[in-house]
Amino acid sequence: MGESGLKEFEPEILAFACHYCAYAAADLAGSMRLQYPTNVKIIKLPCSGKIDIIYILKALEAGADGILVAG
Amino acid sequence: MEHAKKLLEEIGMEGERVEMVFISASEGNRWAETISQMREKLKELGPNPLKQNRGSGK
Amino acid sequence: MITAVRKPLNEIIEMVAPCEKILVTGCGTCVTIDYSGGAKEAAILASQLRIARRLGGKKLETLEQTVERQCEWEFVKEFTDHAAECQAIISMACGAGIQTVAAAFPDKPVFPGVNTRFIGMPQKQGVWEERCICCGNCVLHLTGGLCPFARCAKTLLNGPCEGSQDGKCEVNRELDCVWQQIYDSLKERGRLADLQKIFPLRDWSTGEDGGYRITVREDMML
Ligand code: SF4
Ligand code: SF4
């Protein structure tokens, strides 16, 4: 991969967030108008304990660059 | 989570693509920080290698 | 239950290398309970294989299907439709299940997805221990409910060897000496007298040494 390709690369992050903790935090970050990268897609889970390895693998297969599980 | 990393490394992908953090509902700033850090790390790692050759998959 | 562990991924990748579409089959009984070959593990393996193949720039299609028990014809037949679409089948059942699948689909390669280990039980979360080697002539009534064949490194039947020390086995100091455990167990049950019984030379013909075993029950036959 060329140097220029790397520079343009903007990673897509998929975040699995607990409804009660991290999702609320993300919500708060929004209302606090904090700056954070925009290429995050959030999937809300009822609890981060609901995360399953297969979700992570499938997300990677679908092309996510990184996965964050946030409880 | 360790298991997920191991599964990835077994295939030959970087385990660091997957992270787990605990953020409480009041830590809006922590959320923003975590996402920014992760973005930096992923920039180093480069794109998901699966994107270049989209096969079947779901 | 029968316990197994997933085969190393590289081995499986090699087995399926010539295939473009495979069926990954799980078994819903023992290997589901021990997290080695159930529906979830089948999904993980299928995904890993797809990813690995794509990293190599090629494509692998997978179907997944899990049945109640792969060690019975009736259940294995359920794979028929999916199998017809695939070039090979990976079975994540125990050795009995894999062989049932192989016999049921004689025109397809059938690959083992797990290494079958032993008949045992979960000792605690994530730890399984061997309990029985299927000797065909159980002695647990005399040994305080502890199997000397599965659990003594030397398969001794009349008390411990000289190497038994502080409750540990001389062959592997990490393991408990089952004869110490048998003694303790009989004592607790007030049955130490059972230790006085000398087992005569054992007839192992009920074991696995005389070729494979077949159980016939005429009362159950149609
Ligand atoms: S004595 Fe034989 S049947 Fe009984 S538990 Fe041991 S190996 Fe199994
Ligand atoms: S120490 Fe105990 S378990 Fe180990 S070989 Fe001797 S009798 Fe068997």
Side-chain angles (χ1 to χ4, degrees), chain C residues 131-140 143 146-150 202:
Chain C
R131 281 287 189 263
C132 171
I133 59 164
C134 308
C135 75
N137 190 4
C138 198
V139 299
L140 288 174
T143 56
L146 291 142
C147 175
F149 306 131
R202 189 171 165 85

Side-chain angles (χ1 to χ4, degrees), chain C residues 129 131 143-144 146 151 167 176-187 189:
Chain C
E129 267 187 25
R131 281 287 189 263
T143 56
L146 291 142
R151 295 173 68 86
D176 293 323
C177 167
V178 75
W179 275 104
Q180 179 68 51
Q181 292 180 309
I182 290 172
Y183 177 86
D184 295 342
S185 159
L186 288 173
K187 194 170 171 193
R189 290 177 163 82

Side-chain angles (χ1 to χ4, degrees), chain C residues 58-130:
Chain C
K58 294 208 199 75
K59 186 169 134 180
L60 176 71
E61 277 186 79
T62 58
L63 294 177
E64 295 152 30
Q65 192 178 356
T66 296
V67 294
E68 191 62 32
R69 279 191 294 284
Q70 287 198 18
C71 51
E72 289 189 74
W73 303 119
E74 287 82 353
F75 293 110
V76 160
K77 264 195 252 155
E78 293 173 26
F79 294 142
T80 307
D81 290 348
H82 278 352
E85 287 182 48
C86 296
Q87 292 153 337
I89 306 173
I90 296 180
S91 164
M92 299 188 75
C94 74
I98 301 168
Q99 292 182 55
T100 313
V101 176
F105 299 97
D107 58 333
K108 298 233 162 19
V110 172
F111 304 130
V114 299
N115 288 325
T116 303
R117 300 213 61 211
F118 47 75
I119 294 188
M121 52 169 295
Q123 193 63 12
K124 56 182 182 191
Q125 180 68 17
V127 178
W128 291 263
E129 267 187 25
E130 185 164 17

